[in-house]
Amino acid sequence: MLEHLDYFIFGIMPYIALTVLIVGSIARYERDPFTWKSSSSQLLRRKQLFWGSVLFHVGIITVFGGHLVGLFTPVWVLDSLGIPYAAKQWMAVILGGTAGSVGLIGATILIHRRVSDPRIWITTSFADIGILVLIWLQLFIGLGTIFLTLQHMDGAEMVRFMTWSQSVILLNLNAWALVVDVHWLYKTHIFLGLLITILFPFTRLVHMISGFAAPSGTCCVRAINWSARGAERHCPSVPIPKQHRRSRDHARSSFPRPDRQRRTCASCPDRR
């Protein structure tokens, strides 16, 4: 029974996670592009949000980048550069432990902020608090694996996880056999990582893709231009501020009016 569970988690689940991550993210952006964001509650308890968000994001980005480089760097690259496995493992322990602690503190602040303030709790969805708790648990378990790593600093376990990760990418269906006999804490850490990857497209974590893609211009943002004058023109029930009334006639005569589409609301008569 345990062997079948290991086969599913380490042999099949990685491909499920990658498929859901790619297909789910694309489908969400195409179907609901305006949900591709991280809903902000910064108007409430801004100071606590600032410290929690900064610590959380710095820690998470560092941990994610460290895992990405550490797991998917080919072993032959380390050998060719003459980097001892023990040195790389010490680097992972020091940098990963520091970044994980920073991220854990930030996640704790964010969870406390959402749970303790009734105004923020009302605007918090199950997905928001659920994914935050999962990340907190993942960071906590990740820090716990450091104590196991310190017991074998020769780098053997590190090379095993590197080989497993790269074998999964290379579609080696027998890769799961490499990690079946590792400590259960490592297995739990891997399982939670795959679970978070599966949930990624359905939570606010998708804004990470926008953050990485925005500098290169590969992720387009669909902007909405709204003005009180335009709203008042199509919907008389919308009040217009006084400072806009004076320049309304001038603006209408100075700029050509675009082709208007049929716009109505529940309180307006049907207009064309």
Side-chain angles (χ1 to χ4, degrees):
M1 180 63 182
L2 292 178
E3 183 178 353
H4 290 84
L5 184 61
D6 288 334
Y7 175 70
F8 175 77
I9 295 176
F10 307 114
I12 299 178
M13 194 172 178
Y15 299 106
I16 297 176
L18 290 174
T19 303
V20 174
L21 172 65
I22 297 173
V23 177
S25 298
I26 295 175
R28 178 172 177 177
Y29 184 75
E30 290 296 328
R31 181 176 180 180
D32 298 310
F34 299 113
T35 66
W36 191 283
K37 61 184 178 64
S38 176
S39 301
S40 176
S41 59
Q42 64 180 1
L43 296 179
L44 306 174
R45 302 181 71 170
R46 298 181 61 179
K47 185 175 182 180
Q48 191 177 22
L49 173 64
F50 172 79
W51 287 109
S53 180
V54 169
L55 294 175
F56 177 76
H57 283 85
V58 169
I60 286 295
I61 292 175
T62 305
V63 168
F64 177 76
H67 278 70
L68 199 64
V69 174
L71 290 175
F72 296 101
T73 300
V75 179
W76 63 264
V77 174
L78 300 179
D79 297 335
S80 61
L81 295 176
I83 301 177
Y85 298 159
K88 180 181 181 299
Q89 192 147 336
W90 271 113
M91 186 182 301
V93 168
I94 296 174
L95 295 180
T98 303
S101 299
V102 171
L104 185 66
I105 294 173
T108 303
I109 294 175
L110 294 179
I111 292 176
H112 175 267
R113 175 178 175 272
R114 286 193 173 274
V115 174
S116 61
D117 194 322
R119 299 173 301 171
I120 302 177
W121 179 252
I122 291 177
T123 63
T124 300
S125 66
F126 178 78
D128 292 339
I129 191 65
I131 196 65
L132 196 55
V133 170
L134 275 179
I135 294 176
W136 186 95
L137 184 61
Q138 176 73 326
L139 290 170
F140 183 79
I141 293 177
L143 292 174
T145 60
I146 293 179
F147 298 98
L148 298 176
T149 303
L150 293 175
Q151 299 176 11
H152 41 77
M153 293 301 297
D154 56 349
E157 290 293 296
M158 175 195 68
V159 173
R160 177 186 297 195
F161 290 120
M162 291 173 64
T163 305
W164 171 75
S165 302
Q166 296 166 29
S167 298
V168 169
I169 298 298
L170 296 175
L171 303 180
N172 183 358
L173 300 181
N174 295 321
W176 67 277
L178 297 171
V179 292
V180 292
D181 56 344
V182 298
H183 195 276
W184 65 268
L185 207 57
Y186 287 122
K187 292 183 178 181
T188 306
H189 190 57
I190 295 174
F191 171 75
L192 284 179
L194 296 174
L195 181 60
I196 292 174
T197 303
I198 292 175
L199 297 176
F200 183 95
F202 312 105
T203 63
R204 62 170 60 201
L205 291 180
V206 292
H207 77 280
M208 290 177 58
I209 301 179
S210 302
F212 288 112
S216 61
T218 56
C219 185
C220 300
V221 179
R222 303 182 185 181
I224 302 178
N225 295 322
W226 184 91
S227 66
R229 291 191 297 272
E232 186 266 346
R233 182 171 65 245
H234 296 293
C235 181
S237 63
V238 178
I240 181 171
K242 292 182 179 180
Q243 60 269 27
H244 293 311
R245 294 177 182 173
R246 298 177 181 178
S247 59
R248 179 177 55 185
D249 296 335
H250 174 72
R252 288 180 176 177
S253 60
S254 301
F255 299 95
R257 300 178 67 180
D259 295 336
R260 290 185 298 173
Q261 297 179 353
R262 182 178 181 182
R263 299 181 183 179
T264 60
C265 68
S267 60
C268 297
D270 190 2
R271 295 188 170 191
R272 291 184 181 275

